[in-house]
Amino acid sequence: DIQMTQSPSSLSASVGDRVTITCRASQSISSYLNWYQQKPGKAPKLLIYAASSLQSGVPSRFSGSGSGTDFTLTISSLQPEDFATYYCQQSYSSFTFGPGTKVDIK
Amino acid sequence: QVQLVQSGAEVKKPGASVKVSCKASGYTFTSYDINWVRQATGQGLEWMGWMNPNSGNTGYAQKFQGRVTMTRNTSISTAYMELSSLRSEDTAVYYCARAEQYDSSGGAGFDFDYWGQGTLVTVSS
């Protein structure tokens, strides 16, 4: 099974900050990597698919990069509505989610 | 618009089974796989398995093999997830999600583009 790790597990940031979250796969997954945002009490929301493709309707301040085993989600200028938990997910072999990164207010 | 609407919260005793439904609307039900994901309180997302509504084919995460069954009723565009031999550790919110296929790196990947609202299953004696 492919294992996913994320770092950091949590971070505190201010509105306007540039935020970067890293996701690492236990083996190469090419570009079969998705990112989701989840707010408390809500279902996850797809942000990025295929490592770097922005889902329709998602603000352009979100971007993704990487391939192989190392991936990054970047929020260029953090907005109040971006405080949430972010998960990566691989779809190379079945599906596995990362443990999540909680972004809260500094 | 695409919607996945799940059944309501359930309370079950250890050893019992639970069956959660997921009614799809706004798209052709048989054209997209349905996946099930669960989340214990304060924990991360755990993938349970997938079902192809057209063929009825399924694939389950090894952890749930033998305890989970995913089915569908195409006449009412509804998918079901049944989990048996419940234990306290199965207390969680269960989500259904539509899998969208995309082309990448010369192959095909999947993402979960629409999700149900979640169903809380509580296992308690």
Coordinates of all heavy atoms in Angstrom, one line a residue, chain B residues 5 23 61 114:
Chain B
V5 N -27.0 13.0 -1.7 CA -27.7 13.2 -0.4 C -27.8 11.9 0.3 O -28.3 10.8 -0.2 CB -29.2 13.7 -0.7 CG1 -29.9 13.8 0.7 CG2 -29.1 15.0 -1.4
K23 N -28.1 9.1 -2.3 CA -28.9 9.3 -3.5 C -28.3 10.4 -4.4 O -28.1 11.5 -4.0 CB -30.3 9.7 -3.1 CG -31.2 9.8 -4.3 CD -32.7 10.0 -4.0 CE -33.6 10.2 -5.2 NZ -33.5 9.1 -6.1
A61 N -11.0 -1.5 0.4 CA -9.7 -1.4 1.1 C -9.5 -2.7 1.9 O -10.5 -3.2 2.5 CB -9.7 -0.2 2.0
Y114 N -17.5 15.5 -6.1 CA -18.7 15.8 -5.3 C -18.8 14.8 -4.2 O -18.6 13.6 -4.3 CB -19.9 15.7 -6.2 CG -20.0 16.9 -7.2 CD1 -19.5 16.8 -8.5 CD2 -20.6 18.1 -6.8 CE1 -19.5 17.8 -9.4 CE2 -20.6 19.2 -7.7 CZ -20.1 19.0 -9.0 OH -20.2 20.1 -9.8

